Amino acid sequence: MPGLLFFLFIFSFSIVSASTKQGQVYIVNLGEHAGARAKEAILEDHHALLLSVKGSEEEARASLLYSYKHTLNGFASLLSGEEATKLSERTEVVSTFRSDGRWSPHTTRSWEFVGFEEGLRGLHSKERLPSGDNTSENVIVGMLDSGIWPESKSFGDEGLGPVPARWKGVCQGGDSFNSSSCNRKIIGARYYLKAYEAYHGSLNTTYAFRSPRDHDGHGTHTASTVAGRTVPGVSALGGFASGTATGGAPLARLAIYKVCWPIPGPNPNIENTCFDADMLAAMDDAVGDGVDVMSVSIGASGKPPPFANDGIALGALHAARRGVVVVCSGGNSGPAPATVVNLAPWILTVGASSIDRSFNSPIRLGDGRVIMGQTVTPYQLPGNKTYPMVYAAHAAVPGTPANVTNQCLPNSLSPAKVRGKIVVCLRGSGLRVGKGLEVKRAGGAAMVLGNPPMYGSEVPVDAHVLPGTAVSNANVDTILKYINSSASPTAYLDRSRTVVDVRPSPVMAQFSSRGPNVVEPSILKPDVTAPGLNILAAWSEASSPTKLDGDDRVVKYNIVSGTSMSCPHVAATAVLLKAAHPDWSAAAIRSAIMTTATTSNAEGGPIMNGDGTAAGHMDYGSGHIRPRHALDPGLVYDASFQDYLLFACASGGGAQAQLDRSFPCPASPPRPHELNHPSLAVHGLNGSRITVRRTVTNVGQHGARYSVAVVEPAGVSVKVSPTSLSFERTGEKKEFTITVEEKGAKVDRKYLAGSYTWTDGVHAVSSPIVVLLP
């Protein structure tokens, strides 16, 4: 697992939760609101429901944590298991489920590189992105994360006009945060921790601010990636990645919803958790406040929940009904298959890939060979001389488990064997930066961090606490062969430098979670990929670059990797589309981003994985985002709230999957793959034939005529009918069918991939076809 990638596994501590005596926090979902009602009336309805299972009105009111009033009709309350069961049996209740801490955050040059992917190499940097005119000043992005560091120059409001008149949010005060912390850039901020405190007890303010202020750094990083202002002269610690920092939509407004908090334990700086009830309250407020786009770099650890019990999915569904685009990270549990999260089709789910920048750090071996590493560590080995080199597995203390002797885990190294030496450690268990801390504790002079085979050539960089660099799997194999063949192996780590225009790029990050979709295989996930490896953005000055205890360094900007970093790139793209097309639905914007994505790298070749294999649709979905192309997609696949409810009925197996009480599941809902979605995933063919119907809407010029080109998956026949579509006017809709049939050929793969593309000579509206094999 990547060390500082922020897709952190939630684990249980042997502590007594604050809610033990009061019950657990449950979310009670009542579906959509039945018409416009006063907030007070909705609250009283929720109190009345609680009174039906509680002993007194006082107890009912005391148990209520949140009343969801804007989008989803429901509430979060402290309930016993018996009380929750009784509520779930009532006819007005759609579902009842526990609010768990199974959620966590998924943790400059990247926007220039997105321009290269558009085929715009050689243009001035300001031309490499879609228009940043003043229309995006009217777009509001809601950030669900760990808060914000408002003093960062990335959040200045110089030159911005008045706050949009439709904004209804607040600037909630608290620890080191007051109304003056907001401005015309950060136009609102709130924080939510009732469910967190119900489980973990009162917040330890040594490690977090009881306010929207960010103690962690993650929320500040994602917010500046979406909408940070243009700030020249920015770099990470040590001067790496120097240049001008900017968000994808630098004029957009930010609304901050802090929902993630430190997990009590050995090092609360490292791990954050987020609870369903707190996130649903934030999403409900965000829609009521008037946001247009939500960026949510958060996901479930472990097995993803079904849609009916998924707080993010429920919040996103009701937000989408009101035109809000919800973009989520896909997770950092790759490259294993079936690890992607945030799986609902009304969510835009993002994988992570590299950009064209590296931080080259030559390693000079004693035999004269030079091995290239990467690092953003500012420290240098003293003197221009070689140092003894040792493999961690040869220097582990007795009793270290045999399978982790090479991992440099805490207290695993013998000072007598590593003192004054360069120690070669392998990635795997533990934090990458924690390995450097262990080498330093044992007296080592420097560290070389090598990839195991699963990570291939992907090299996330870190600001280690001692001289150190990281190398690919092939390069660490070379170094280990040298150590094993030499009686006195030595090396020297040269100074690192920033290199741009690295090829090939993008490359899919190995940590990026992969498909297929374990909740509903008929929906391909992730949807797209975007830059998420070694991304420079603003950081909290309350957090060090490594977040390790004892690291007292303060930085204004930091380099971090994860799908948490790719998610805001796509959220910014959604902002630009919302500014250009304010009347488009959330589904239309999602479609435009997906159907204009590319499966080619910047050189025109296929996108590869970090281990050197060819990437595919289970890795990157529809492909790498191209914001400029997305502004003019030609055709879009639209879908309504009712379409999604029908999909949920089919996906979840009938009445138990009902997501809204006003819309009972029909006896025979359309099959999940019949949702009008921009990609097509089919499973369970078993020699049969399926036909699905799709509808496209013309958002280009009138008089357009499109023809279809099909790339058939191996061993599968795909027929599209009709093969051409003509549109007399903008806004006109046309239907077509896709028939998929196995040809009978035996193929030794888990899935087969192809595509179909509608073209009119100007636009190419491309959709992946994935056939999952049993």
Side-chain angles (χ1 to χ4, degrees), residues 67 111 129 143 189 192 209 241 246 271 280 284 409 468 493 539 568 572 584 683 697 701 721 724 736 763:
S67 178
W111 282 110
L129 291 174
M143 303 296 302
Y192 305 81
F209 298 101
T246 184
E271 311 225 32
L280 261 179
D284 186 55
L409 299 180
L493 308 186
W539 196 249
W584 282 12
H683 69 103
T697 304
Q701 298 298 315
S721 179
S724 63
F736 62 93
H763 306 94

Side-chain angles (χ1 to χ4, degrees), residues 419-496:
R419 186 172 290 112
K421 298 179 181 179
I422 299 172
V423 183
V424 179
C425 311
L426 290 190
R427 287 174 65 186
S429 301
L431 301 172
R432 296 191 307 270
V433 290
K435 297 172 188 291
L437 189 65
E438 169 61 10
V439 173
K440 184 177 181 180
R441 179 204 65 80
M447 177 184 69
V448 172
L449 183 60
N451 278 355
M454 69 179 292
Y455 291 124
S457 61
E458 166 196 301
V459 182
V461 296
D462 301 290
H464 291 289
V465 295
L466 81 172
T469 190
V471 296
S472 68
N473 175 248
N475 282 343
V476 78
D477 282 350
T478 299
I479 293 171
L480 292 179
K481 287 176 182 176
Y482 164 65
I483 290 175
N484 291 331
S485 65
S486 173
S488 301
T490 61
Y492 183 76
L493 308 186
D494 278 339
R495 184 178 299 277
S496 180

